[in-house]
Amino acid sequence: MSTKLVPTPGQTVGPFYGYALPFEKDNELLPPGFPGSIRLQGTVYDGAGHTIPDAILEIWQPDADGKVVQRTGSLVRDGYTFTGWGRGAVGNSGVFTFTTVNPGPTKPGAAPFISVALFARGLTNRLFTRIYLPEDTEALANDPLLSSLEPERRETLIARRDPDGGLTWDIRLQGEGETVFLDFQ
C-alpha cells in the first residue's frame, strides 16, 4: 500500500523575536554617505490602506556594475564590502529604509532590479517581488516580467527617483494599487 505524503499547510509568519534579529547595520548594504550609496525607502500598507508597523523586508541585488556577489559573508558590515543582501524591519510608521547602490543590469540591455522578500503578520508565507529602477524605459519595456503585466500593474514594481538620487517604492498587500507578487514554483 502506497501512501501519498501531503505537505503541512503554512502557518502565519512570525512572531518575530529579538534574538539575532535585527543585527547591527542590517539595512545598510553600504554605510550612509559612502560614495555611490543611495537611500531606498518606502511604506508597507495593508488592504485597507493602513500602514503595517511590524513587517520585515529582505533585499538581494547586484552591485552598481551588475555583478551578483557570490561569496559567503552576507552579514558582513565592515563599511567596505558590498554583499548585495540586507534586512530591515519596518518602523512603527510602516516605513522601511535601506542604504544601498543603484543595481546595474546583469546583462546588456536588461532592466536593473532589486529582489524583495516581505515577511509580515497574517501572511502564511513570505511574499516575493521586485523593485525596478525608473530611468531606462527601453529596458523596462523589454523586461519579460514587466511586459507580461498590464500597465497599471507594471507601475507597482517601478520605484520613484527622489530629488536626492534615492529611490522610493511602496508595498500594497491588497486592494487598489496592489503590488505584483511573484510565485516561484
Side-chain angles (χ1 to χ4, degrees), residues 60-176:
W60 300 269
Q61 69 171 88
D63 65 15
D65 296 323
K67 293 183 180 99
V68 177
V69 178
Q70 296 182 356
R71 62 178 190 246
T72 59
S74 63
L75 299 180
V76 171
R77 297 295 190 253
D78 61 8
Y80 301 97
T81 305
F82 180 80
T83 63
W85 180 85
R87 177 186 293 148
V90 173
N92 288 336
S93 62
V95 174
F96 64 88
T97 183
F98 289 92
T99 305
T100 187
V101 297
N102 288 309
T106 56
K107 60 184 177 182
F113 65 87
I114 299 169
S115 297
V116 179
L118 171 72
F119 303 83
R121 63 184 149 111
L123 297 177
T124 55
N125 292 299
R126 64 187 172 207
L127 299 175
F128 296 96
T129 189
R130 290 179 176 179
I131 306 168
Y132 285 88
L133 304 186
E135 288 83 15
D136 190 343
T137 55
E138 184 177 345
L140 293 172
N142 293 323
D143 183 81
L145 172 62
L146 291 176
S147 62
S148 72
L149 301 170
E150 296 295 323
E152 65 276 358
R153 301 287 290 140
R154 185 178 309 137
E155 293 301 317
T156 70
L157 300 179
I158 301 172
R160 298 179 306 278
R161 184 65 68 183
D162 299 328
D164 67 0
L167 295 168
T168 297
W169 177 76
D170 297 329
I171 299 173
R172 298 185 187 286
L173 295 180
Q174 293 178 320
E176 188 175 336

